[in-house]
Amino acid sequence: MEAPHSDTSSGASEFSDAVTSHKRWFKSVLGLGALEAKLWVASSAQLLALMCGVIFLLLTTWLLIIATTAVVAWSYGFSLIGIFLSATLVTLLSAIVLMYLVKRTLNNMNFSRTLDAIIPVEEE
């Protein structure tokens, strides 16, 4: 009578070992995911800082181009009011072009294709 009882306890022991093994595996997978997330966040922060530097340099360059053009126009005798109005118009047009590019990019950021690929919608 004791043989079946020992089979049951060894089966329970094997099941317990399997559960423990799967728990360890799952914990290592989650740990790897957490480590990957930490690396991604650190890299993203570094990328954001570098992009802020690039934006600052590009903005400074743009302002220097406008200032240089204004100085050249001033040296050729253009009126100061005309130079300022032209610089304002160029800056305003640049902002409009950038806003158009932002809107176009936002419209292209459509996640419905990914969602449809994951959860297909049944058409009637």
Side-chain angles (χ1 to χ4, degrees):
M1 285 265 196
E2 303 219 8
H5 185 268
S6 66
D7 287 338
T8 306
S9 67
S10 69
S13 175
E14 289 175 10
F15 181 75
S16 176
D17 290 344
V19 167
T20 303
S21 174
H22 279 82
K23 282 182 181 178
R24 285 186 192 141
W25 172 81
F26 190 62
K27 184 177 180 180
S28 68
V29 168
L30 286 179
L32 182 61
L35 180 62
E36 191 73 25
K38 285 179 184 178
L39 290 172
W40 189 85
V41 168
S43 296
S44 296
Q46 184 179 11
L47 182 62
L48 181 64
L50 290 172
M51 287 304 298
C52 286
V54 168
I55 289 169
F56 175 75
L57 291 174
L58 287 173
L59 181 63
T60 304
T61 303
W62 179 245
L63 291 174
L64 286 172
I65 289 170
I66 291 174
T68 303
T69 306
V71 168
V72 169
W74 175 260
S75 71
Y76 281 107
F78 285 91
S79 72
L80 194 56
I81 298 292
I83 293 170
F84 281 130
L85 287 175
S86 298
T88 302
L89 183 65
V90 167
T91 305
L92 183 63
L93 288 175
S94 300
I96 290 171
V97 168
L98 287 176
M99 283 302 298
Y100 168 75
L101 292 173
V102 166
K103 285 183 181 180
R104 193 179 77 184
T105 303
L106 286 175
N107 286 335
N108 289 335
M109 290 177 63
N110 187 356
F111 296 108
S112 64
R113 287 174 282 187
T114 305
L115 186 60
D116 289 341
I118 295 171
I119 306 171
V121 178
E122 295 181 18
E123 306 258 341
E124 293 181 19

